[in-house]
Amino acid sequence: MEKEYLKSTSKNYNKGGLDTVGLTCKTDVDIEEIKVLNGVIEKYTYLIGVEEVLVTIKASSVLNGGIELTDLDETMEIVEGIALNFNIDFETLSRVDFSVDLLETVKENKKKFILFLECLDLRRKGTGMFETKKPVKQNKKTGNLKISTNRVQTTIYDCMDKPRLANTRIENRIVNIRAKEIIKKRIQLEMKKYMKELHKLEELIPIVEGLYINYLINEYKKTIKKEFGTFTEFVAWADKEQLILTERVLKELLKASGITTRLKVFLNSFRSLRPDTLKFTNKSELKSLVLLVKKELKKSAREG
């Protein structure tokens, strides 16, 4: 009900904050007692080796039933309350998940989100974005858009089926931190690192476009007159697969096909038979998304 009310009264819901934090403590605690504490995630609370326990805490489950992300101060208040009330000495930060929630949907903005992740993955020197899919039993619903390195994962996913105020979450998860410094300061540091990665992210767009252009040209040459009878059929497939991210990608693909039709003419013809197709993202959209993510995370960390 709250989510429907928000949608009807607000054109733009954006909020950054923390989802979970993973903290370690010595084994002189009763793990089973900790697991049932309000705010502790049972399946992510367990023994590490023989000397440490990992305790994973989700402050939002205490403060708002998991509907909204919590800011850094709210999260630390829950952490410190658990530590004080149950005599737990949290020593290190092991994991932190911080996110930005949006009212806009993945379905309507998928190419923009793909471009965001592909550019960020280039900055991290990763292996590329991949997409998970739900099984047939769940109607093959689109899953998550994800990039991953050894210790950092960034995921964009639809959360319309969850009891949240948002429709989309951009989640950044850092694991294996093992920091001995003050927990709050370390969380702020990890958030600053992420925001630094996002600085001038749009400068990587031409490289991402080049990767998609080369892939599509090669696929076109391999499949034309075999799987696809015409260039238009190939473009219809590529667009459905969200591979034509920007107008430049289509322009270069058209040029490589040898077809002499001008881009504007092809677009008009294609869209006349297939309304609401070949929608592109661009540099301006990516810059706006980056600015939004940084702004909301700064607010949640009390950094401006």
Side-chain angles (χ1 to χ4, degrees):
M1 183 64 70
E2 286 182 84
K3 188 171 182 176
E4 293 304 317
Y5 172 77
L6 181 69
K7 287 180 181 178
S8 67
T9 57
S10 174
K11 293 183 178 179
N12 189 24
Y13 170 83
N14 306 311
K15 182 170 183 178
L18 279 80
D19 181 42
T20 59
V21 291
L23 308 165
T24 64
C25 61
K26 294 298 184 183
T27 53
D28 55 348
V29 296
D30 188 322
I31 300 177
E32 296 308 313
E33 282 189 9
I34 293 175
K35 284 183 177 181
V36 299
L37 297 178
N38 191 16
V40 172
I41 304 178
E42 181 179 356
K43 68 178 180 178
Y44 295 128
T45 298
Y46 47 80
L47 187 67
I48 304 174
V50 295
E51 296 184 348
E52 287 184 308
V53 175
L54 175 67
V55 181
T56 303
I57 298 170
K58 186 182 181 76
S60 65
S61 65
V62 179
L63 298 177
N64 57 60
I67 293 175
E68 287 190 280
L69 295 163
T70 53
D71 65 31
L72 182 54
D73 285 344
E74 291 171 327
T75 301
M76 293 310 302
E77 185 177 340
I78 297 299
V79 168
E80 289 162 6
I82 290 173
L84 180 63
N85 293 332
F86 295 91
N87 197 28
I88 302 171
D89 182 19
F90 290 123
E91 295 186 329
T92 68
L93 175 70
S94 178
R95 161 185 164 175
V96 62
D97 299 16
F98 46 83
S99 306
V100 171
D101 282 355
L102 309 170
L103 190 61
E104 60 182 301
T105 66
V106 172
K107 182 179 180 181
E108 294 173 352
N109 301 276
K110 193 169 183 179
K111 289 183 178 180
K112 176 176 68 175
F113 292 137
I114 289 173
L115 186 62
F116 173 86
L117 287 179
E118 291 284 25
C119 288
L120 183 56
D121 187 71
L122 274 177
R123 180 144 289 167
R124 292 177 181 168
K125 298 179 172 57
T127 56
M129 189 217 74
F130 59 97
E131 183 174 1
T132 63
K133 293 283 187 180
K134 300 291 185 181
V136 171
K137 192 174 181 180
Q138 297 180 38
N139 298 319
K140 287 186 71 66
K141 179 188 170 189
T142 298
N144 303 334
L145 305 175
K146 185 185 290 286
I147 58 174
S148 181
T149 61
N150 288 335
R151 61 181 296 271
V152 184
Q153 298 174 357
T154 302
T155 306
I156 299 178
Y157 62 92
D158 178 326
C159 52
M160 294 177 69
D161 58 343
K162 293 179 170 59
R164 294 182 186 161
L165 296 178
N167 289 325
T168 299
R169 174 163 289 184
I170 304 177
E171 176 185 272
N172 202 62
R173 173 179 299 172
I174 303 102
V175 297
N176 300 322
I177 299 172
R178 311 298 289 168
K180 291 285 187 181
E181 62 206 274
I182 297 171
I183 291 170
K184 182 176 180 179
K185 292 295 184 184
R186 182 64 190 209
I187 293 174
Q188 288 175 324
L189 176 61
E190 294 295 344
M191 295 175 87
K192 286 178 180 178
K193 284 182 182 179
Y194 179 47
M195 287 185 272
K196 186 176 180 180
E197 287 181 313
L198 299 181
H199 183 60
K200 294 187 178 180
L201 198 64
E202 71 280 357
E203 292 182 354
L204 298 174
I205 290 176
I207 302 175
V208 172
E209 288 176 321
L211 292 171
Y212 276 69
I213 290 165
N214 291 337
Y215 173 78
L216 286 170
I217 289 174
N218 289 333
E219 286 298 301
Y220 176 72
K221 290 177 179 177
K222 286 192 299 184
T223 58
I224 194 65
K225 304 304 180 185
K226 296 175 184 177
E227 296 179 37
F228 304 101
T230 65
F231 178 74
T232 298
E233 288 178 11
F234 179 81
V235 170
W237 165 81
D239 187 52
K240 184 179 179 181
E241 294 296 311
Q242 305 293 320
L243 294 169
I244 306 178
L245 299 179
T246 66
E247 186 174 297
R248 181 191 164 217
V249 173
L250 180 60
K251 183 179 180 181
E252 294 301 321
L253 178 61
L254 181 61
K255 187 188 301 183
S257 73
I259 297 170
T260 56
T261 306
R262 289 185 293 116
L263 178 63
K264 187 175 181 180
V265 173
F266 176 81
L267 280 171
N268 289 338
S269 174
F270 190 94
R271 288 168 173 163
S272 69
L273 298 175
R274 303 167 185 81
D276 299 319
T277 58
L278 280 179
K279 294 180 178 179
F280 308 117
T281 189
N282 53 48
K283 180 179 179 179
S284 178
E285 287 188 348
L286 180 60
K287 287 179 71 174
S288 294
L289 179 59
V290 166
L291 288 172
L292 172 61
V293 170
K294 292 170 73 172
K295 173 187 172 184
E296 294 303 320
L297 288 178
K298 284 180 180 179
K299 283 164 56 178
S300 71
R302 298 289 192 265
E303 289 293 297

